[in-house]
């Protein structure tokens, strides 16, 4: 109703103003923002944020037959919009991450971990579909289309790497008011029951310049002007941790109508000393003796002996040193009526120990701990940081939980996983959901899962002691779906509650599978990557609902499975030897083997005494042959008997 | 019983002998020159306008080797990628297949960078690179499917398909480790010269190319094009049977060899070519010096009807088409 009224109002205004192409209640806009925050040990967290809103559309423009194919992109990239719409995805989240976030040194993940992924590539989306199979086939279409757009092997996300409907993810947009209607969805507004969540991850995927290039090409200035011009693959991929995130979320609100909204973020933790050194020489070389900072408190310190301090306290660097260039001009986007619909700003989060020198731009706000600048369209912008105490960095709140996962056991048949979740808070317990998707060739035994709790407070130090009651106290819920060989992996989601100041150790055993020959990758002896575990922290709101406040991921694991010897000479020798043995054996048998009757064999093989015995006995029994007449008969009988015997043997 | 067994074994041996002879006989069929020429002229006569000019240019650039020590194969392919882009072929018409990632490899002392020369003057992995197939996707199956377009049209994105037609000139470049009539993919499987020949034959039947320039830089590379039998295929290889192809030089900071000899001397020639260049394929072939390349590069022209001195380099490496200028002043 409100939308209809606003549309009529807009139309009236348009007719009065005489503008022919006036249909949108709100214009497409573009915002870019850079946050710079020094971290301990001469590191720098640089967070690039890019936000694009499409033109909004009124209801009646959405086609007579109910078919909606969004036509009012404005600055919104058409390539993403068309992929998302043709696969009926209501929300899409894509992450490319490499490196390790040191939570103990650097604290909270940027944006509360909502926009950081696990090692490799991670993608999840809510897909509309009347049935599971239809939604799943659309999911595969979506990941294939994304693989072409982002030059990543996302087409490998098949059923064995997809997790359907994990509870660790909640949609960002209000699904009930989602206006993306599709011809076959039946109702004009898709209800949330039609939406299926799929999550896929590829921990082995590399992230390199070919992923950054299409990422930048989605922006209005295509990475050539404004803050996005600082994003250079040579610097971004020379960092301790970097994460590129893309989130597509359609938004409806009363002020602006319904619009497509996309945020792109690049978060990088740069090692300042290493990046500065790249300016001088492309290859890291040790500094000359006069530039060494020595620890003079050491007893052996002298002119010829130096214990080098790794991190100098007095530092001075500029943005152009770290990123290789200055920001030439801001990315200015004007609509057809001449209004500037873009904005760009740079903010720093420092302490009073740091001193900033700006070149170009204007100051928007400046306090001792936070300074923001906006960029001009014509000048270059550069920012110089200097301090005499680089250890003084803005306070980082301690994250609500720490997690660490590792593999235990040895050998090629069995193994175990051990996950340690640590709650540092002294007063509050923390509720978390821990999602683990294991590949099908890791076969876990859930009945072997034990939880051990140990307190880390200084008053008591107990070792983890698994017990049934403890497991029930700590493990609030288990969602588990066992694996199906070669079809899907294990899905395990645990709802846990970790008491304050304690360390929870979860461990379980698994079996390793033997794969078919064709299933081994070309570098099988490296091992197989297991996707990171995802930990989501829940906080109880005032109204009693649980909201997802923080997300973090473990590192991926490397699983060594029993691998055959792929070496070609070995296989050739084995095969050839087998064939030769068979051939030789057959031919030898044909040539040498003779078939004889059993009686002949017995006669041949009876020993000499046995042969002579009946003859001697015969002699002894029968009378001599020299007798006359009457003996003729007997001798004839003897002869007969002897003949009969001979005949008996030979027949 | 005895006799029966003897007969059976003799029959088995006879079968084995006959089958091996039969296979050999089949191979003989394609290699007979007289029948081949007849076959070719029949094919060409069937295709009208086959000797006309091309309308678009495509490139399929494949590196088949994995692992850090095969850096030079990826540098080979990236050099060719840079060359064809420089001469005008857009990314949408290039299929680039890299079997491994060396630019962002943890072993790379220069992150995000690939060099093909120890002077490190040129970075091949600049900010505008589009890799269509990478890592484990680069397999024999994928290559043959891309060439013959036997992919699932609903799921395969357009950037990963070779959408050529009968007026397309395709430049196909393969590099890696190979041998007598085979090319090894990622240390796990091989594609044989027969497979490639059949793929090209399928492409001809389905009118997917006008002319193909097939270039291959591996050991014993010339054997890979010995089995082709489709018309309009010009093939260039880096070494003869029983000859290896060698790397050119190594960079001591990268730590491995950065370019192969055959590709190095090809690039030396191609650096002189720009979009308007009139250099021909004959010039390129004549520039090959076995003393410098350390192997005998070969060319196969019997399937290719045009005279090499009339074929411009940009017919294959660039995106240059014949343009007819309308001299008429009236609009």
């Amino acid at each position: 109703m409100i939308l209809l009224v606003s549309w009529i109002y807009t139309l009236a205004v348009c007719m009065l103003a005489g503008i022919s192409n006036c249909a949108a209640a709100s214009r497409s806009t573009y915002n870019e923002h850079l946050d710079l925050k020094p971290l301990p040990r001469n590191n720098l967290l640089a967070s690039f944020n890019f936000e694009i809103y499409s033109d909004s559309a009124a209801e009646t423009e959405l086609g007579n037959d109910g078919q909606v194919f969004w036509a009012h992109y404005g600055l919104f990239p058409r390539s993403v919009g068309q992929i998302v719409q043709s696969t009926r995805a209501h929300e899409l989240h894509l992450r490319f991450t490499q490196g390790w976030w040191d939570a103990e040194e650097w604290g909270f993940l940027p944006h509360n971990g909502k926009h950081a992924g696990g090692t490799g590539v991670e993608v999840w989306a809510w897909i509309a579909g009347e049935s599971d199979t239809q939604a799943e086939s659309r999911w595969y279409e979506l990941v294939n289309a994304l693989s072409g757009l982002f030059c990543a092997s996302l087409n490998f996300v098949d059923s064995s790497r997809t997790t359907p409907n994990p509870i660790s993810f909640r949609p960002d947009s209000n699904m009930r008011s989602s206006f993306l209607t599709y011809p076959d969805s039946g109702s004009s507004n898709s209800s949330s029951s039609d939406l299926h969540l799929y999550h896929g991850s590829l921990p082995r995927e590399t992230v390199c310049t070919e992923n950054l290039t299409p990422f930048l090409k989605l922006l209005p200035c295509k990475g050539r002007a404004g803050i996005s011009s600082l994003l250079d693959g040579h610097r971004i991929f020379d960092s301790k941790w970097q994460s590129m995130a893309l989130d597509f979320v359609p938004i409806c609100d009363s002020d602006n109508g319904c619009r497509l909204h996309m945020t792109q973020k690049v978060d990088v933790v740069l090692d300042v000393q290493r990046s500065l050194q790249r300016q001088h020489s492309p290859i890291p070389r040790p500094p000359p003796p006069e530039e060494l900072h020595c620890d003079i408190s050491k007893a052996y310190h002298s002119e010829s002996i130096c214990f080098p301090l790794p991190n100098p306290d007095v530092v001075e660097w500029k943005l152009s040193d770290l990123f290789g260039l200055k920001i030439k001009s801001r990315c200015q986007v004007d609509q057809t009526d001449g209004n500037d619909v873009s904005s760009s700003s740079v903010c720093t989060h420092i302490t009073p120990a740091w001193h900033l020198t700006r070149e170009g731009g204007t100051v928007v706000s400046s306090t001792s701990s936070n300074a923001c600048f906006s960029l001009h369209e014509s000048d270059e912008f550069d920012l110089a940081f200097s301090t005499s105490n680089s250890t003084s960095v803005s306070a980082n709140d301690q994250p609500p939980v720490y997690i660490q996962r590792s593999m235990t056991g040895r050998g090629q048949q069995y193994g175990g996983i051990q996950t340690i979740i640590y709650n540092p808070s002294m007063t509050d317990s923390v509720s978390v959901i821990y999602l683990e998707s294991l590949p099908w060739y890791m076969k876990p035994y859930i009945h072997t899962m034990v939880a051990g709790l140990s307190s880390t407070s200084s008053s008591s130090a107990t070792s983890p002691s698994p017990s049934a009651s403890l497991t029930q106290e700590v493990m609030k819920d288990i969602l588990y779906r066992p694996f199906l060989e070669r079809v899907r992996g294990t899905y395990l989601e645990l709802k846990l509650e970790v008491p304050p100041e304690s360390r929870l150790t979860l461990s379980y055993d698994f079996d390793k599978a033997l794969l078919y020959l064709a299933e081994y990758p070309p570098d099988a002896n490296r091992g197989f990557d297991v996707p990171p575990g995802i930990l989501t922290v829940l906080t109880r709101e005032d109204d009693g609902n649980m909201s997802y406040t923080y997300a973090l991921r473990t590192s991926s694991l490397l699983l060594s499975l029993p691998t055959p010897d792929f070496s070609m000479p070995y296989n050739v020798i084995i095969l050839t030897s087998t064939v030769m043995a068979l051939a030789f054996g057959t031919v030898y048998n044909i040539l040498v083997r003779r078939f004889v009757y059993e009686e002949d064999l017995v006669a041949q093989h009876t020993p000499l005494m046995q042969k002579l015995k009946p003859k001697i006995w015969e002699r002894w029994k029968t009378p001599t042959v020299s007798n006359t007449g009457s003996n003729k008969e007997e001798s004839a009988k003897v002869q007969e008997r002897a003949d009969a015997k001979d005949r008996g043997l030979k027949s | 019983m005895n006799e029966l067994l003897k007969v059976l074994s003799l029959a088995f041996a006879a079968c084995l002998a006959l089958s091996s002879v039969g296979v050999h006989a089949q191979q003989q069929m394609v290699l007979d020159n007289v029948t081949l020429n007849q076959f070719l002229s029949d094919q060409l006569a069937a295709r009208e306008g086959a000797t006309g000019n091309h309308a678009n240019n495509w490139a399929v650039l494949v590196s088949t080797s994995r692992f850090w020590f095969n850096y030079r194969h990826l540098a080979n392919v990236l050099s060719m990628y840079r060359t064809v882009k420089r001469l005008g072929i857009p990314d949408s018409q290039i299929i680039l297949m890299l079997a491994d990632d060396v630019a962002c490899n943890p072993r790379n002392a220069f992150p995000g960078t690939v060099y093909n020369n120890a002077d490190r003057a040129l970075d091949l992995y600049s900010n505008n690179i589009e890799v269509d197939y990478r890592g484990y996707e680069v397999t024999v199956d994928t290559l043959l499917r891309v060439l013959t377009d036997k992919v699932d049209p609903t799921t395969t994105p357009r950037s990963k398909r070779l959408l050529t037609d009968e007026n397309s000139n395709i430049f196909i470049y393969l590099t890696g480790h190979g041998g007598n009539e085979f090319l090894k993919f990622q240390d796990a499987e091989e594609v044989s010269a027969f497979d490639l020949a059949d793929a090209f034959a399928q492409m001809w039947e389905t009118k997917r190319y006008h002319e193909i320039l097939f270039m291959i830089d591996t050991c014993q590379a010339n054997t890979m094009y010995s089995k082709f039998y489709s018309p309009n295929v010009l093939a260039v290889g880096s070494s003869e049977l029983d000859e290896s192809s060698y790397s050119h030089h190594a960079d001591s900071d990268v730590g491995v060899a950065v370019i192969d000899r055959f590709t190095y001397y090809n690039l030396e020639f191609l650096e002189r070519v720009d979009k308007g260049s009139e250099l021909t394929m004959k010039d390129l072939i004549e520039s090959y010096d076995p003393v410098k390349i350390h192997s005998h590069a070969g060319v196969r022209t019997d399937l290719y009807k045009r005279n090499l001195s009339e074929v411009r380099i940009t017919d294959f490496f660039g995106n240059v088409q014949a343009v007819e200028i309308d001299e008429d002043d009236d609009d």
Side-chain angles (χ1 to χ4, degrees), chain B residues 95-200:
Chain B
I95 304 272
L96 180 60
M97 299 171 90
L98 298 180
D100 199 0
D101 167 57
V102 287
C104 292
N105 195 312
R107 283 175 150 137
N108 197 344
F110 307 94
T113 317
V114 177
Y115 294 118
N116 67 351
N117 204 309
D119 62 11
R120 294 199 284 265
L122 183 64
D123 172 18
L124 297 172
Y125 224 77
S126 62
N127 277 341
N128 202 14
I129 182 166
E130 187 184 293
V131 180
D132 299 301
Y133 291 90
R134 63 177 197 169
Y136 297 130
E137 283 183 282
V138 178
T139 59
V140 174
D141 186 58
T142 313
L143 174 65
L144 296 177
R145 278 184 187 279
V146 160
L147 288 176
T148 53
D149 203 29
K150 284 191 160 57
V151 293
D152 184 353
T154 52
T155 55
T156 314
R158 287 177 73 87
S159 62
K160 282 178 146 177
R161 289 174 66 183
L162 190 66
L163 299 165
T164 51
D165 55 23
E166 57 195 347
N167 298 315
S168 307
N169 273 11
I170 314 179
F171 169 52
I172 300 178
Y173 179 79
L174 303 180
T175 184
H177 290 288
N180 190 359
E181 290 172 10
F182 70 90
L183 171 61
K184 193 168 70 158
F185 267 69
Q186 296 202 46
D187 216 21
E189 50 179 2
E190 299 163 358
V191 69
S192 78
F194 298 96
D195 294 332
L196 273 179
D198 289 339
F200 286 173

Side-chain angles (χ1 to χ4, degrees), chain B residues 85-330:
Chain B
K85 271 184 81 165
R86 179 175 64 85
L87 294 173
I89 304 186
D91 269 316
S92 53
Q93 283 168 214
I94 302 177
I95 304 272
L96 180 60
M97 299 171 90
L98 298 180
D100 199 0
D101 167 57
V102 287
C104 292
N105 195 312
R107 283 175 150 137
N108 197 344
F110 307 94
T113 317
V114 177
Y115 294 118
N116 67 351
N117 204 309
D119 62 11
R120 294 199 284 265
L122 183 64
D123 172 18
L124 297 172
Y125 224 77
S126 62
N127 277 341
N128 202 14
I129 182 166
E130 187 184 293
V131 180
D132 299 301
Y133 291 90
R134 63 177 197 169
Y136 297 130
E137 283 183 282
V138 178
T139 59
V140 174
D141 186 58
T142 313
L143 174 65
L144 296 177
R145 278 184 187 279
V146 160
L147 288 176
T148 53
D149 203 29
K150 284 191 160 57
V151 293
D152 184 353
T154 52
T155 55
T156 314
R158 287 177 73 87
S159 62
K160 282 178 146 177
R161 289 174 66 183
L162 190 66
L163 299 165
T164 51
D165 55 23
E166 57 195 347
N167 298 315
S168 307
N169 273 11
I170 314 179
F171 169 52
I172 300 178
Y173 179 79
L174 303 180
T175 184
H177 290 288
N180 190 359
E181 290 172 10
F182 70 90
L183 171 61
K184 193 168 70 158
F185 267 69
Q186 296 202 46
D187 216 21
E189 50 179 2
E190 299 163 358
V191 69
S192 78
F194 298 96
D195 294 332
L196 273 179
D198 289 339
F200 286 173
Q202 277 197 34
M203 288 170 80
W204 178 256
E205 291 300 322
T206 49
K207 297 196 174 146
R208 279 173 55 75
Y209 72 90
H210 175 237
E211 285 172 359
I212 287 182
L213 171 63
F214 177 79
M215 191 181 276
I216 178 162
D217 186 355
T218 66
C219 299
Q220 302 184 57
N222 296 355
T223 56
M224 276 303 277
Y225 61 63
S226 58
K227 299 286 177 253
F228 292 166
Y229 55 93
S230 322
N232 290 354
V233 175
L234 174 63
V236 178
S238 63
S239 51
E240 285 293 333
L241 177 66
D242 289 332
E243 250 188 1
S244 294
S245 290
Y246 299 94
S247 65
H248 190 262
H249 66 272
D251 180 334
S252 50
D253 291 309
V254 170
V256 282
V258 291
I259 190 85
D260 276 336
R261 300 199 95 95
F262 178 67
T263 307
Y264 180 86
Y265 289 108
N266 267 303
L267 291 171
E268 222 178 50
F269 181 89
L270 289 169
E271 288 297 315
R272 295 190 270 140
V273 175
D274 59 13
K275 284 188 193 176
S277 170
E278 297 196 356
L279 288 169
T280 63
M281 286 299 298
K282 187 154 180 282
D283 300 329
L284 175 65
I285 305 294
E286 281 175 358
S287 75
Y288 293 154
D289 180 3
V291 172
K292 284 190 192 164
I293 301 179
H294 291 191
S295 57
H296 291 88
V299 146
R300 184 168 174 189
T301 53
D302 60 327
L303 298 165
Y304 194 73
K305 289 306 158 200
R306 283 166 68 195
N307 198 333
L308 284 188
S309 54
E310 290 163 20
V311 181
R312 291 200 187 165
I313 297 285
T314 50
D315 279 356
F316 289 107
F317 288 88
N319 200 19
V320 177
Q321 293 95 35
V323 169
E324 203 181 277
I325 298 174
D326 187 3
E327 295 288 359
D328 199 346
D329 285 337
D330 304 325

Side-chain angles (χ1 to χ4, degrees), chain A residues 307-319:
Chain A
F307 186 91
L309 287 168
N311 297 298
D313 282 344
V314 180
V315 284
E316 206 178 300
W317 46 266
K318 291 193 270 190
L319 265 191

Side-chain angles (χ1 to χ4, degrees), chain A residues 399-422:
Chain A
V401 71
Y402 296 93
I403 185 169
Q404 156 197 341
R405 181 179 75 163
S406 53
M407 243 190 239
T408 59
R410 70 193 186 286
Q412 290 186 327
Q413 231 180 331
Y414 315 110
I417 297 257
Q418 179 178 272
T419 311
I420 301 176
I421 302 173
Y422 168 52

Side-chain angles (χ1 to χ4, degrees), chain A residues 503-574:
Chain A
R503 188 170 282 134
L504 171 69
T505 309
L506 287 169
S507 58
Y508 58 87
D509 302 330
F510 65 88
D511 267 359
K512 299 184 186 179
L514 197 61
L515 305 180
Y516 295 153
L517 186 66
E519 288 168 348
Y520 288 101
D523 54 353
N525 287 298
R526 178 188 173 272
F528 294 75
D529 289 78
V530 178
I534 304 174
L535 193 73
T536 317
V537 174
L538 309 173
T539 312
R540 190 166 288 279
E541 300 283 323
D542 298 330
D543 54 0
N545 290 331
M546 300 294 265
S547 69
Y548 291 20
T549 46
Y550 191 66
L552 66 153
R553 284 154 175 80
T554 67
S555 51
S556 60
L557 296 172
L558 200 59
L559 172 72
S560 67
L561 290 180
T563 47
D565 182 357
F566 296 103
S567 60
M568 183 272 284
Y570 167 80
N571 290 333
V572 167
I573 290 168
I574 292 296

